[in-house]
């Protein structure tokens, strides 16, 4: 069991627990997380959810690169769609969901955090979408949610560079709602949860649904396109080079695209 759920009265604390791999998500973990989110969504006794990562280093360091490195086009479509379903399940929960970002939230980790309603970060947390360094575009909603949260210009710069964004910078651009010393992060998340829980749960759920709908208008079509281009990357050389380089702990070597057209 890699997804732990701990109930504290009406609060459910979900801990992604695979610290040896910085909580990176395999297909098995995606399915387990999706099931857990659906279970909690149907549990009327839960009023707010906090999602965090086990260990001191990472929230989630992304999709599991070892597993992804072995995928072909069809496997990539399925992997992307499962990631979308997991993130959509988080976003669709009637309860507010707070991401307590205790460390790296990269790739799929940033995408999971962005599917949450509110993000709080520890001072040392780093967020980002480094997929292009692996020869692939983001594939679990990153190209759709990041521009909606921080604006398209900033999102493009972050996704094209693949760079890590500090917690302080994330606060400045609205990617996170608060930054705290690591040892205070969970207390702050609980305080925020309490401030939600004092309000009418039906009204909070309705407000969430209404706000999600405005964001949802074209996420679905964007996600279909995202899966397509993600999967197409698995037909080319950049994906295998990028992932092999990561796994071999060397810098990837990419040839420049043709410029004569
Ligand atoms: N998939 C699979 N394994 C991962 C992983 C991922 N996304 N991210 C980290 N790990 C594993 C490492 O392979 C390593 O395993 P090992 O101890 O068996 O060798 C372990 O987690 C610790 O990671 P390591 O890279 O040694 O830690 P670090 O402090 O040097 O670097 C990161 C931390 C987050 C910067 C680095 O792990 C990283 O860049 N991870 C990939 C991030 C990424 O590209 N995510 C998007 C994927 S689409």
């Amino acid at each position: 069991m890699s997804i732990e759920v701990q109930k504290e009265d009406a609060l459910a604390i979900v801990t992604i627990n695979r610290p040896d791999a910085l909580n990176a998500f395999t297909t098995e973990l995606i399915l387990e997380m999706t099931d857990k989110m659906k279970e909690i969504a149907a549990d009327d006794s839960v009023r707010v959810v906090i999602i965090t990562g086990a260990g001191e280093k990472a929230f989630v360091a992304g999709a599991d690169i070892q597993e992804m490195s072995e995928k072909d086009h069809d496997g990539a479509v399925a992997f992307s769609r499962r990631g979308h379903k997991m993130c959509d399940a988080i976003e669709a929960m009637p309860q507010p969901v707070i991401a307590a970002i205790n460390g790296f939230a990269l790739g799929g980790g940033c995408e999971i955090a962005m599917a949450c309603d509110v993000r709080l970060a520890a001072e040392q947390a780093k967020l980002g979408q480094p997929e292009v360094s692996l020869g692939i575009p983001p594939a679990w909603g990153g190209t759709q949610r990041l521009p909606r949260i921080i604006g398209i210009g900033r999102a493009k710069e972050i996704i094209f560079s693949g760079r890590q964004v500090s917690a302080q910078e994330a606060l400045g651009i609205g990617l996170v709602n608060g930054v705290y010393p690591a040892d205070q992060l969970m207390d702050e998340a609980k305080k925020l949860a309490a401030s939600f829980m004092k309000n009418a749960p039906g009204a909070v759920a309705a407000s969430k649904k209404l706000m999600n709908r405005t964001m949802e208008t074209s996420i679905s079509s964007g996600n279909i396109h995202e899966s397509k281009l993600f999967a197409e990357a698995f037909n080319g050389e950049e994906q295998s080079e990028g992932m092999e380089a990561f796994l071999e702990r060397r810098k990837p070597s990419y040839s420049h695209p043709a410029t004569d057209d």
Side-chain angles (χ1 to χ4, degrees):
M1 185 91 70
S2 300
I3 306 292
E4 287 172 4
V5 180
Q6 184 196 341
K7 295 265 295 278
E8 290 183 10
D9 300 319
L11 178 66
I13 300 173
V14 177
T15 304
I16 299 152
N17 188 14
R18 195 191 169 211
D20 290 352
L22 303 188
N23 305 321
F25 264 68
T26 57
T27 294
E28 199 185 337
L29 208 49
I30 296 171
L31 297 175
E32 191 183 336
M33 182 76 174
T34 310
D35 285 350
K36 284 276 177 356
M37 294 299 107
K38 288 183 177 168
E39 254 172 54
I40 296 171
D43 183 344
D44 290 343
S45 72
V46 175
R47 300 270 305 278
V48 178
V49 180
I50 296 174
I51 300 179
T52 196
E56 289 173 1
K57 234 176 131 175
F59 175 70
V60 172
D64 189 284
I65 298 172
Q66 178 72 56
E67 179 182 333
M68 271 198 300
S69 70
E70 289 155 18
K71 294 206 183 295
D72 59 10
H73 177 277
D74 291 354
V77 174
F79 195 63
S80 171
R81 294 306 290 161
R82 283 184 169 139
H84 286 150
K85 279 189 188 154
M86 170 178 65
C87 290
D88 290 352
I90 295 169
E91 195 172 64
M93 295 176 88
Q95 305 95 338
V97 185
I98 300 167
I101 305 171
N102 53 310
F104 290 110
L106 301 176
C110 193
E111 288 166 317
I112 289 168
M114 289 192 292
C116 298
D117 299 302
V118 177
R119 287 156 289 285
L120 304 184
E123 282 166 345
Q124 85 282 6
K126 303 265 189 219
L127 296 88
Q129 298 288 158
E131 285 88 345
V132 294
S133 73
L134 296 167
I136 53 172
W140 293 355
T143 61
Q144 304 306 302
R145 288 193 178 93
L146 189 59
R148 283 169 167 83
I149 295 170
I150 64 168
I152 193 143
R154 285 188 169 118
K156 283 182 174 171
E157 183 265 309
I158 287 170
I159 289 181
F160 294 168
S161 66
R163 72 182 173 88
Q164 294 180 5
V165 175
S166 71
Q168 274 307 329
E169 183 186 352
L171 182 63
I173 60 177
L175 184 52
V176 302
N177 301 52
V179 177
Y180 305 99
D183 60 357
Q184 291 169 28
L185 178 64
M186 196 45 80
D187 282 348
E188 292 294 337
K190 287 180 185 177
K191 270 193 225 161
L192 188 62
S195 77
F196 297 163
M197 282 195 269
K198 72 178 172 25
N199 295 316
V204 171
S207 305
K208 174 170 171 172
K209 199 169 189 180
L210 290 164
M211 285 189 274
N212 280 356
R213 192 160 294 176
T214 115
M215 306 294 274
E216 170 63 17
T217 312
S218 61
I219 282 182
S220 314
S221 57
N223 275 344
I224 288 166
H225 198 214
E226 187 181 70
S227 288
K228 184 171 174 282
L229 298 194
F230 173 68
E232 279 177 10
F234 284 73
N235 292 334
E237 287 168 9
E238 290 185 357
Q239 170 267 334
S240 46
E241 168 60 12
M243 292 188 188
E244 275 168 33
F246 175 83
L247 296 171
E248 291 164 10
R249 293 183 174 271
R250 61 173 171 81
K251 281 203 159 58
S253 158
Y254 297 124
S255 54
H256 291 289
T259 52
D260 54 353
D261 55 348

